[in-house]
Amino acid sequence: VVMAKILLQKKLYEPALVHLEDSVKLDPENILAHSLRAETLLRLKRPKEALQAYKMVLYFNPFDSKASQVVKKLESLT
């Protein structure tokens, strides 16, 4: 996750996503990894995958207002 954050700061989204995918595989309950993965997928213009990632964030934290708003927006677009 730390490496992904560094890559995200440098706007290297594809390599960051690889690290976030690995983080989610290693620790499926890592809400930070899911959240960063969702944001990264949005930046990469992959809305369907981002929607699923944000839904995972809401699964672990149903009170996440940002994730809730993004899910509503993405669902309305599809």
Side-chain angles (χ1 to χ4, degrees), residues 48-64:
K48 290 181 184 178
E49 293 173 79
L51 176 60
Q52 294 303 315
Y54 275 114
K55 285 184 177 181
M56 283 302 295
V57 172
L58 287 176
Y59 175 79
F60 292 113
N61 181 8
F63 303 107
D64 187 316

Side-chain angles (χ1 to χ4, degrees), residues 8-69:
L8 289 171
Q9 287 177 347
K10 295 181 177 191
K11 299 183 191 240
L12 299 171
Y13 301 120
E14 286 289 344
L17 183 60
V18 171
H19 288 282
L20 292 167
E21 301 272 343
D22 290 342
S23 296
V24 168
K25 286 178 188 171
L26 289 171
D27 184 6
E29 295 181 11
N30 186 334
I31 192 165
L32 177 60
H34 283 287
S35 182
L36 290 172
R37 181 175 173 267
E39 290 177 30
T40 303
L41 287 165
L42 269 184
R43 291 180 191 273
L44 290 170
K45 297 182 180 11
R46 292 162 62 176
K48 290 181 184 178
E49 293 173 79
L51 176 60
Q52 294 303 315
Y54 275 114
K55 285 184 177 181
M56 283 302 295
V57 172
L58 287 176
Y59 175 79
F60 292 113
N61 181 8
F63 303 107
D64 187 316
S65 60
K66 179 181 177 185
S68 181
Q69 289 174 349

